[in-house]
């Protein structure tokens, strides 16, 4: 099977074309989380072309997602956009694509983003304006520092001096976690958010760690415990001095309601929830349930980051540094400005190929 390819087009009147090509994102620094360290992220770049307009999309697939360039290519080869009469009918097209196979959320997100880009370009407006949002209300974005040696952590922290919030990956063991935070605090007093990546299995130990972190200017904790440990997480939330935000426990729309009373908020990512359509629905539901919302990302190009940035005025916290962590970004798009990732006024998702 060829990884590069195009999906079939069977309509004589509607020539909507889907193309995809693999791309590997080389990282500026090795990226360490609780379970692994990597130096690159596999991706798939997608295009939807119709009526002289091309929309861009992207699937970014860190290994823990369970997707790869091979699985994305196999899924995308099944997508037949030619069966749909009108590219504007996203509420018809995207559920149909979702139903083709379980999982494959990043591959599905790539098509979702490309179709949203196409629609926005056809309308001549960025999606934040289509949704009626003010980009000035976008929250500050955090910049992520992975698990590493004290020397590298100091270097990364100094390099991150222009960012007003630092996100720190924890969760390997208590000694390593404390050392990492103390090393950062040797360099800066910038506010910190913590992502434990399910790394704290014991709720009593997790509570002690959170109490310790609360004394070191930490704002909140993402996914402190394993994603299925909802009872333990609810116990922890009742006692935690810091808000708890669901990450791995919150994948898609169906997960949101069951997290009320377990977490204080959710972290949604386009690559986990199949794209902009479902992300917008998740935000609406979370607000109805009085849950805070964080908008996150993988290591991604400015294509996917620009798409996510369209939603940023709707959320409480942003972690949209993915394109800042890679070496050679093939897209221009949303820019880091005064502590925020701000979408351009370009139509669609506001991303253009370099």
């Amino acid at each position: 099977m060829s990884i590069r390819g195009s999906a079939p087009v069977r309509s004589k009147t509607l020539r909507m074309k889907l193309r995809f090509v693999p791309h590997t994102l080389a990282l500026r620094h090795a990226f360490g989380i609780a379970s692994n360290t990597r130096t690159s992220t596999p991706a798939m770049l997608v295009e939807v072309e119709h009526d002289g307009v091309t929309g861009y999309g992207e699937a970014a697939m860190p290994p823990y997602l369970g997707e790869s360039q091979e699985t994305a290519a196999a899924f995308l080869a099944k997508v037949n956009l030619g069966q749909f009469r009108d590219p504007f009918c996203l509420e018809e097209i995207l559920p149909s694509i979702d139903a083709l196979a379980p999982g494959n959320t990043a591959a599905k997100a790539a098509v979702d983003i490309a179709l949203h880009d196409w629609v926005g370009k056809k309308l001549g407006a960025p999606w934040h304006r289509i949704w009626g949002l003010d980009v000035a209300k976008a929250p500050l974005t955090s910049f992520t520092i992975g698990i590493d040696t004290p020397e590298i952590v100091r270097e990364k922290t100094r390099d991150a001096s222009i960012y007003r919030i630092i996100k720190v990956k924890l969760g390997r063991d208590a000694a390593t976690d404390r050392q990492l935070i103390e090393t950062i605090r040797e360099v800066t007093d910038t506010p910190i958010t913590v992502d434990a990546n399910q790394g704290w299995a014991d709720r009593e130990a997790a509570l002690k760690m959170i109490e310790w972190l609360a004394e070191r200017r930490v704002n909140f904790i993402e996914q402190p415990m394993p994603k299925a440990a909802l009872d333990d997480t609810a116990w922890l939330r009742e006692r935690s001095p810091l808000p708890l935000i669901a990450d791995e426990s919150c994948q898609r729309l169906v997960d949101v309601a069951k997290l009320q009373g377990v977490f204080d908020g959710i972290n949604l990512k386009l690559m986990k929830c199949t794209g902009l359509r479902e992300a917008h629905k998740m935000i609406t539901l979370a607000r109805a349930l009085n849950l805070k919302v964080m908008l996150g990302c993988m290591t991604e190009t400015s294509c996917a980051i620009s798409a996510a940035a369209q939603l940023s005025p709707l959320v409480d916290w942003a972690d949209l540094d993915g394109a800042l962590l890679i070496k050679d970004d093939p897209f221009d798009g949303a820019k880091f400005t005064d502590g925020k990732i701000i979408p351009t006024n370009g139509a669609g998702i506001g991303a253009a190929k370099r």
Side-chain angles (χ1 to χ4, degrees):
M1 179 191 71
S2 173
I3 292 180
R4 181 192 302 261
S6 59
V9 180
R10 297 171 184 163
S11 169
K12 293 182 179 180
T13 58
L14 180 60
R15 306 297 297 178
M16 201 171 2
K17 300 176 183 177
L18 174 64
R19 295 186 292 268
F20 51 91
V21 60
H23 186 82
T24 299
L25 308 178
L27 307 184
R28 294 182 182 275
H29 298 281
F31 191 72
I33 62 175
S35 58
N36 65 77
T37 298
R38 69 180 191 276
T39 58
S40 65
T41 300
M44 188 70 78
L45 305 184
V46 169
E47 295 181 358
V48 171
E49 182 184 352
H50 175 65
D51 197 23
V53 175
T54 299
Y56 298 122
E58 172 188 359
M61 299 168 287
Y64 66 84
L65 276 185
E67 294 183 69
S68 66
Q69 291 170 337
E70 290 75 18
T71 63
F75 178 82
L76 293 169
K78 300 176 184 177
V79 176
N80 176 24
L81 293 180
Q83 68 182 296
F84 301 105
R85 185 184 61 81
D86 185 353
F88 280 86
C89 294
L90 299 180
E91 290 295 330
E92 175 189 0
I93 298 171
L94 294 173
S96 177
I97 292 172
D98 191 14
L100 286 174
N104 295 284
T105 57
K108 293 170 182 177
V111 182
D112 169 286
I113 293 168
L115 282 168
H116 277 85
D117 193 33
W118 187 93
V119 168
K121 286 175 176 175
K122 198 66 176 174
L123 293 174
W127 270 92
H128 65 265
R129 295 196 68 188
I130 295 171
W131 279 320
L133 305 178
D134 180 0
V135 296
K137 295 182 178 179
L140 296 172
T141 196
S142 53
F143 182 83
T144 304
I145 295 178
I147 298 171
D148 217 316
T149 65
E151 293 76 14
I152 297 298
V153 169
R154 290 188 191 95
E155 177 187 347
K156 289 180 179 179
T157 304
R158 285 191 285 268
D159 289 345
S161 60
I162 63 172
Y163 303 100
R164 291 155 66 179
I165 302 174
I166 292 174
K167 177 174 176 175
V168 183
K169 296 287 190 176
L170 300 183
R172 287 198 175 168
D173 60 74
T176 301
D177 288 350
R178 289 173 185 260
Q179 182 185 55
L180 200 158
I181 295 296
E182 288 172 343
T183 300
I184 291 172
R185 282 290 173 248
E186 291 173 8
V187 179
T188 183
D189 193 40
T190 299
I192 289 173
T193 70
V194 160
D195 184 359
N197 281 120
Q198 308 181 80
W200 300 336
D202 180 85
R203 67 187 191 182
E204 298 279 359
L207 179 59
K208 290 180 181 179
M209 178 59 72
I210 294 172
E211 290 171 342
W212 183 84
L213 290 168
E215 298 173 354
R216 284 153 181 83
R217 208 178 179 198
V218 170
N219 290 347
F220 59 78
I221 311 292
E222 279 184 70
Q223 200 66 47
M225 307 196 71
K227 63 182 181 181
L230 297 185
D231 289 343
D232 281 343
T233 303
W235 178 94
L236 184 63
R237 176 180 175 264
E238 290 179 356
R239 295 159 177 80
S240 172
L242 297 176
L244 304 185
I245 310 302
D247 186 354
E248 285 84 357
S249 292
C250 186
Q251 304 288 318
R252 301 200 55 179
L253 180 63
V254 70
D255 298 320
V256 176
K258 68 185 179 184
L259 301 178
Q260 187 181 32
V262 179
F263 290 91
D264 298 285
I266 63 169
N267 180 9
L268 61 90
K269 300 176 181 178
L270 300 189
M271 297 301 135
K272 295 192 306 180
C273 74
T274 74
L276 288 164
R277 172 184 172 272
E278 187 151 323
H280 193 273
K281 293 176 185 292
M282 290 174 72
I283 293 171
T284 300
L285 179 56
R287 292 302 190 200
L289 297 174
N290 200 30
L291 289 166
K292 297 286 189 179
V293 181
M294 178 180 181
L295 185 60
C297 66
M298 311 300 179
T299 44
E300 303 167 355
T301 76
S302 286
C303 175
I305 294 299
S306 296
Q310 303 294 327
L311 289 165
S312 61
L314 287 173
V315 305
D316 302 286
W317 304 296
D319 179 35
L320 297 179
D321 62 343
L324 304 173
L325 301 174
I326 65 175
K327 288 182 179 179
D328 297 309
D329 192 341
F331 288 90
D332 280 317
K335 302 296 184 185
F336 178 78
T337 304
D338 194 26
K340 302 179 179 182
I341 296 291
I342 300 294
T344 70
N345 281 321
I349 63 171
K353 279 189 172 179
R354 291 184 186 274

